[in-house]
Amino acid sequence: MSERELREEMVRYCRSLFERGFSVGTAGNVSARVADGFLMTPTNSCLGFLEPERISKLDKDWNHVGGDKPSKEVFLHRAFYETRPATGAVVHLHCTHCTALSCLADLDDADCVEPITPYVVMRVGKVARVPYVKPGDPRSGDLIRGLDGRHAAVLLANHGPVVAGKDLTSAVYASEELEETAKLLLMLRPFKTQRLTDTQVEELEAGYARQMR
Ligand code: 13P
């Protein structure tokens, strides 16, 4: 796909996420790898109203070389590309249910999204929660690096999800799957819930764990 086509695809996916309520106002940011660097949504931009030519361009060393000023979450995105080399795109949202989950006091930080349905295992994998730092804090990158590339998806405590995928489509679909799973988990909180067994999870992972989603 050419850079021009990827810019247009980014505009389409971001608009779709915005129109379905996955992002409000100027919340959220998206990046994608291109041959000579990275594209990233501009800081303070609304995902619903991006313009292809204004999307930020960064070179391979993450210097800003074109378009509007990039998202302040550049450290966060960069850490995913550097610790998971097959990453082609990263999506960060403040979607309601993931963000609610990220605020819960009694969550297992090492495995914070229970595998209740197959698709969260297949598309998202095991999710870790990292401690709160303020938006745009360079330490967000250190927190992601501390996970050594083991997780494609992370919840930032009291903030929202970040999901890496092999390309933009995968990262967007995995973000949607994670949000729907978070919604189910919150709906099910008052009830005794049956999660998938370890054997069922292993069976699903066998087909997906070795490849980048
Ligand atoms: P930017 O507007 O800099 O992308 O930040 C939005 C955001 O989601 C912060 O977490």
Side-chain angles (χ1 to χ4, degrees):
M1 185 185 296
S2 70
E3 182 177 319
R4 177 75 212 172
E5 287 165 338
L6 186 56
R7 284 173 182 269
E8 282 165 4
E9 185 177 88
M10 196 182 262
V11 169
R12 269 199 310 278
Y13 274 127
C14 288
R15 187 192 307 131
S16 167
L17 288 168
F18 176 78
E19 285 175 348
R20 290 177 293 142
F22 285 82
S23 163
V24 297
T26 62
N29 32 74
V30 174
S31 66
R33 192 194 291 277
V34 288
D36 56 351
F38 303 89
L39 298 177
M40 176 163 256
T41 53
T43 191
N44 295 325
S45 59
C46 173
L47 296 192
F49 306 110
L50 296 172
E51 295 166 48
E53 60 285 355
R54 292 184 65 179
I55 289 174
S56 315
K57 174 95 181 263
L58 299 107
D59 68 15
K60 285 188 170 169
D61 297 320
W62 292 88
N63 300 304
H64 179 209
V65 292
D68 290 355
K69 188 178 174 205
S71 169
K72 62 179 152 312
E73 300 292 16
V74 65
F75 309 100
L76 189 61
H77 288 247
R78 180 175 179 170
F80 273 97
Y81 292 99
E82 291 181 353
T83 56
R84 294 177 64 86
T87 297
V90 175
V91 174
H92 166 52
L93 298 169
H94 299 172
C95 43
T96 309
H97 300 89
C98 282
T99 304
L101 205 62
S102 82
C103 299
L104 292 178
D106 59 342
L107 213 55
D108 175 1
D109 285 339
D111 187 7
C112 60
V113 176
E114 277 205 283
I116 48 170
T117 64
Y119 262 61
V120 73
V121 179
M122 290 155 58
R123 295 276 181 255
V124 182
K126 200 181 263 196
V127 183
R129 177 171 68 169
V130 296
Y132 175 83
V133 292
K134 75 176 171 46
D137 190 321
R139 287 177 296 170
S140 61
D142 303 335
L143 292 168
I144 300 303
R145 283 198 180 78
L147 300 172
D148 290 326
R150 288 189 304 276
H151 300 271
V154 167
L155 290 187
L156 310 174
N158 301 77
H159 185 166
V162 196
V163 179
K166 65 178 180 343
D167 54 28
L168 190 54
T169 301
S170 298
V172 169
Y173 288 177
S175 301
E176 294 174 358
E177 188 61 38
L178 181 56
E179 171 62 2
E180 291 309 305
T181 305
K183 187 174 178 178
L184 291 172
L185 285 169
L186 293 169
M187 281 171 66
L188 289 165
R189 270 215 140 202
F191 309 110
K192 277 193 162 185
T193 303
Q194 166 175 294
R195 47 159 282 172
L196 297 182
T197 65
D198 289 347
T199 312
Q200 288 165 338
V201 170
E202 279 159 26
E203 181 193 31
L204 293 163
E205 279 182 342
Y208 291 87
R210 264 165 262 106
Q211 68 191 51
M212 181 83 186
R213 294 171 175 88

